[in-house]
């Protein structure tokens, strides 16, 4: 995409009815034009004119006052992921802006549409090291899809329109707009026109019919075809198309971490979850299939393991909207650079009706091995304390697999991905590519604000919870009815597991002396309880789910529980460990 300089900010303007407004008000009017109804933010000096203007728009723009700017970004991510809308964040200059960077980076790698608006010192002060001046454009450039600093108020409507267009089209991502304080005060003649195209930016590549024909030929001839369903299925809204393709061609489907809930877990063609702590069958069968069909995923290292041994026997079809991801890690036989929904629609009529029952049954045989060696022990422990797997399984059963589940990063995330049965789409919200501890609590409040009709359950480790627990204040203030489950093992569990397996049990800086989580929740006027006994687990979870409003449940689990299966980092997916 070409650099969008001031000279290129020019080519869209049909005259509409104009009005004289300040830059601050122009921003808010632009947000309304883009269908924004919710903003997550934190005020400060350099963005104060925008907040002053917001005072008059409280009936149309809901502002959620977070307790830390990072919380705003994660809340906007959760909101965007469950609504399909673009999340919006406000922050001031300096530390306010830099506190956004972790969430922006998370949104970039996980393809989440977000527009961040930061205030900046006045234009004459730029470059003088003025109070709370930071080069947020330079800092954010590597982790944004586009960023821009507005120093001329007349540019503002067009910049805002382009920001939303870029954030939500193609492979979505975060955009940052930095607005100097004098621009926020300045008056001008305001008109707004939505952006519908940008020269040299083609967010939706045209489906190439020759590629579709070649892919269909491979699928129709394959004896052991295998679909890897990624996040792109959910982003493009291609769930029905994926289901139709899989059913017509009789192809088993596995899901990446971010692709969870793109394909129903209770479907007979669903074979499980891919990756380092994924199911046994989906990992080992990668190196036995004759055709790998990757849709809307990027072949990251947590899926592939050792690339030198990954699916060397298979032909590969890769459907991916971002051309930079094609042939980056895994070489393709047929590359389809297109939106997943468009590609699958074009592919469906060219496929033959087929079944691969014997091949699918090979996955079921793997399931039996995994059940005996891993699952049965995790769900039905003979003795000892509660295990993460059984807690997640009970939550899954009691919500019927229909809740929006938000996870943080660590062992609990892997346990949830393995044992929660996602039976409704767009119901998995997690930090995938960046692996951001502290993600879940603010993301859950954003998800609940976006989908107040749904039960939202955040499953969080004791370590990650303490990174953003201040957002309990936001949850209380706005009565956000998310349910919070802390799986407390008094360890940074995933790091501890690696230390046990690969560093001779040298538990360096991973054991935690934790506070009273129930007391903390009650300090924020949030109902809370603690459970450690197996016989009290179901009733404790039911009480949480039945509660009207936010609720925190601390579940004490075994301190040194490990999550298996596991593909050791950098090893072949075929060498997955079951114990």
């Amino acid at each position: 995409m070409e650099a969008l300089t001031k000279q290129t900010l020019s080519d869209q303007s049909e005259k509409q009815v104009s009005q004289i407004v300040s830059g601050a008000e122009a921003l808010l009017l632009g947000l309304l034009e883009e269908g924004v109804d919710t903003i997550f933010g934190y005020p400060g000096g350099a963005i104060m004119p925008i907040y002053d203007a917001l005072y008059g728009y409280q009936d149309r723009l809901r502002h959620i006052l977070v307790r830390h700017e990072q919380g705003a970004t994660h809340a906007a991510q959760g909101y965007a992921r469950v609504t399909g809308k673009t999340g919006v964040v406000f922050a001031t200059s300096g530390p306010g802006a830099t506190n956004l960077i972790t969430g922006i980076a998370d949104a970039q790698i996980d393809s989440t549409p977000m527009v961040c608006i930061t205030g900046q010192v006045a234009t004459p002060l730029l470059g003088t090291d003025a109070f709370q001046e930071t080069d947020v454009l330079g800092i954010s450039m590597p982790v944004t899809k586009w960023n821009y600093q507005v120093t001329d108020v007349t540019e503002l409507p067009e910049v805002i329109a382009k920001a939303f267009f870029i954030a939500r089209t193609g492979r979505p991502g975060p955009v940052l707009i930095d607005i100097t304080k004098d621009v926020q005060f300045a008056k001008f003649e305001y008109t707004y026109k939505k952006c519908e195209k940008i020269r040299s930016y083609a967010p939706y590549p045209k489906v190439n019919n020759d590629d579709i024909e070649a892919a269909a030929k491979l699928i129709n001839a394959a004896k052991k075809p295998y679909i890897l369903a990624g996040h792109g299925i959910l982003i493009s809204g291609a769930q029905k198309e994926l289901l139709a393709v899989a059913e017509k061609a009789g192809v088993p489907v596995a899901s990446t971490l971010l692709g969870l809930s793109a394909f129903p877990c209770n479907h007979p063609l669903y074979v499980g979850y891919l990756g380092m702590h994924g199911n046994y069958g989906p990992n080992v069968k990668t190196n036995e299939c004759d055709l790998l069909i990757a849709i809307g995923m990027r072949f990251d290292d947590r899926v592939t393991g050792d690339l030198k041994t990954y699916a060397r026997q298979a032909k590969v079809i890769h459907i991916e909207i971002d051309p930079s991801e094609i042939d980056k890690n895994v070489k393709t036989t047929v590359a389809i650079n297109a939106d997943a929904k468009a590609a699958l629609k074009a592919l469906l009529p060219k496929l033959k009706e087929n079944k691969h029952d014997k091949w699918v049954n090979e996955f079921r045989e793997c399931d039996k091995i995994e059940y005996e060696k891993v699952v049965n022990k995790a769900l039905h422990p003979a003795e000892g304390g509660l295990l993460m797997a059984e807690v997640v399984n009970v939550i899954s059963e009691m919500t019927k697999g229909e809740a929006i589940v938000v996870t943080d990063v660590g062992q609990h995330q892997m346990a949830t991905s393995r044992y929660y049965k996602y039976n409704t789409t767009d119901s998995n919200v997690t930090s995938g590519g960046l692996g951001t501890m502290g993600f879940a609590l603010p993301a859950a409040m954003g998800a609940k604000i976006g989908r107040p009709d749904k039960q939202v359950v955040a499953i969080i480790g004791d370590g990650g919870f303490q990174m953003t627990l201040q957002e309990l204040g936001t949850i209380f203030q706005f009565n956000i009815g998310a349910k919070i489950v802390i799986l407390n093992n008094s360890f940074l569990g995933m790091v501890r597991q690696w230390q046990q397996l690969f560093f001779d049990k040298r538990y360096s800086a991973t054991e935690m002396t934790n506070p009273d989580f129930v007391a903390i929740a009650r300090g924020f006027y949030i109902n809370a309880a603690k459970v450690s006994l197996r016989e009290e687990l179901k009733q404790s979870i039911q009480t949480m789910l039945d509660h009207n409003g936010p609720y925190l449940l601390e579940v004490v689990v075994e301190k040194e529980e490990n999550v298996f299966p596991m593909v050791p980092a950098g090893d072949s997916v075929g060498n997955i460990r079951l114990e």
Side-chain angles (χ1 to χ4, degrees), residues 65-268:
L65 176 62
V66 297
R67 297 309 189 257
H68 189 284
E69 291 88 352
Q70 181 181 344
T73 55
H74 296 326
Q77 287 177 274
Y79 177 89
R81 293 267 285 271
V82 302
T83 64
K85 299 179 181 179
T86 301
V88 178
V89 173
F90 282 0
T92 195
S93 63
T98 59
N99 281 343
L100 302 179
I101 298 302
T102 296
I104 292 173
D106 195 289
Q108 173 81 334
I109 200 165
D110 283 353
S111 306
T112 305
M114 182 164 68
V115 172
C116 296
I117 307 295
T118 54
Q120 184 56 275
V121 300
T123 303
L125 294 175
L126 291 174
T128 69
D129 291 333
F131 177 68
Q132 291 192 332
E133 182 195 1
T134 301
D135 179 11
V136 69
L137 290 193
I139 292 170
S140 66
M141 188 174 291
V143 292
T144 50
K145 195 174 175 186
W146 179 54
N147 66 12
Y148 192 85
Q149 186 175 76
V150 182
T151 57
D152 178 349
V153 71
T154 62
E155 293 180 343
L156 191 55
E158 193 171 355
V159 171
I160 296 302
K162 287 193 174 187
F164 278 89
F165 180 71
I166 292 167
R168 65 179 171 232
T169 54
R171 180 178 178 175
V175 169
L176 183 140
I177 304 301
D178 195 43
I179 308 174
T180 59
K181 194 168 184 178
D182 52 311
V183 165
Q184 298 171 44
F185 280 120
K187 298 288 184 74
F188 74 116
E189 189 174 307
Y190 166 86
T191 60
Y192 197 86
K193 184 180 185 299
K194 286 190 177 183
C195 181
E196 296 177 354
K197 65 179 180 179
I198 298 173
R199 189 176 59 194
S200 82
Y201 172 50
Y204 299 107
K206 187 177 179 181
V207 177
N208 184 302
N209 287 328
D210 291 342
D211 294 337
I212 295 295
E213 291 282 359
K217 186 176 180 180
L218 289 177
I219 295 170
N220 290 333
K223 302 299 182 186
K224 293 184 174 183
Y226 180 24
I227 290 174
L228 310 184
H231 192 199
I233 297 290
L234 295 162
I235 293 171
S236 68
Q239 296 92 320
K240 290 181 180 179
E241 287 75 15
L242 172 64
L243 184 63
V245 165
E247 288 182 338
K248 185 174 183 181
V251 183
V253 178
S255 171
T256 66
L257 174 63
L258 289 177
L260 287 168
S261 82
F263 198 87
C265 285
N266 55 7
H267 194 282

Side-chain angles (χ1 to χ4, degrees), residues 377-394:
K377 296 174 185 176
L379 296 185
H380 309 290
E383 57 185 4
L386 288 166
L387 300 182
M388 290 177 285
E390 64 177 316
V391 177
V392 172
N393 186 58
V394 171

Side-chain angles (χ1 to χ4, degrees), residues 377-542:
K377 296 174 185 176
L379 296 185
H380 309 290
E383 57 185 4
L386 288 166
L387 300 182
M388 290 177 285
E390 64 177 316
V391 177
V392 172
N393 186 58
V394 171
I395 294 171
S396 181
E397 289 177 348
M398 297 183 78
T399 58
K400 300 178 181 178
E402 296 175 353
I404 291 173
V405 177
V406 186
T407 50
D408 214 81
V409 173
Q411 285 182 314
H412 70 278
Q413 179 191 32
M414 297 297 99
T416 303
S417 302
R418 288 178 46 77
Y419 294 103
Y420 193 86
K421 304 303 180 187
Y422 298 90
N423 291 323
T424 59
T425 194
D426 291 311
S427 58
N428 168 51
V429 180
T430 195
S431 172
L434 197 64
T436 305
M437 291 179 67
F439 171 88
L441 186 64
M445 68 190 193
K448 184 63 177 178
I449 288 168
R451 291 296 307 273
D453 57 310
K454 294 284 289 185
Q455 184 78 269
V456 174
V457 180
I459 301 177
I460 313 176
D462 48 308
F465 177 75
Q466 292 180 78
M467 288 192 171
T468 52
L469 66 80
Q470 68 273 6
E471 297 307 332
L472 290 175
T474 309
I475 289 170
F476 163 65
Q477 180 173 347
F478 294 93
N479 192 30
I480 301 167
K483 313 304 181 190
I484 304 152
V485 178
I486 300 173
L487 299 184
N488 181 7
N489 59 10
S490 297
F491 265 110
L492 298 175
M494 186 61 80
V495 183
R496 186 214 55 78
Q497 177 168 336
W498 282 46
Q499 288 173 335
Q500 177 184 336
L501 298 177
F502 309 117
F503 293 89
D504 298 325
K505 292 188 177 182
R506 293 192 297 274
Y507 294 162
S508 176
T510 48
E511 189 165 10
M512 303 190 78
T513 302
N514 285 322
D516 185 336
F517 293 120
V518 171
I520 288 172
R522 289 175 178 167
F524 284 99
Y525 305 103
I526 292 172
N527 281 273
K530 180 177 181 177
V531 61
S532 59
L533 299 177
R534 187 165 284 113
E535 56 268 26
E536 297 175 0
L537 179 63
K538 286 188 177 181
Q539 184 55 56
S540 297
I541 291 172
Q542 191 63 60

Side-chain angles (χ1 to χ4, degrees), residues 9-51:
L9 291 170
S10 59
D11 54 341
Q12 29 227 98
S13 58
E14 290 173 9
K15 283 289 182 184
Q16 297 180 345
V17 177
S18 64
Q19 53 185 313
I20 304 298
V21 300
S22 68
E25 188 171 4
L27 168 66
L28 303 180
L29 292 170
L31 296 183
L32 291 171
E33 291 276 2
E34 296 295 338
V36 174
D37 54 23
T38 304
I39 300 160
F40 302 93
Y42 203 98
I47 200 170
M48 201 173 295
I50 290 172
Y51 272 89

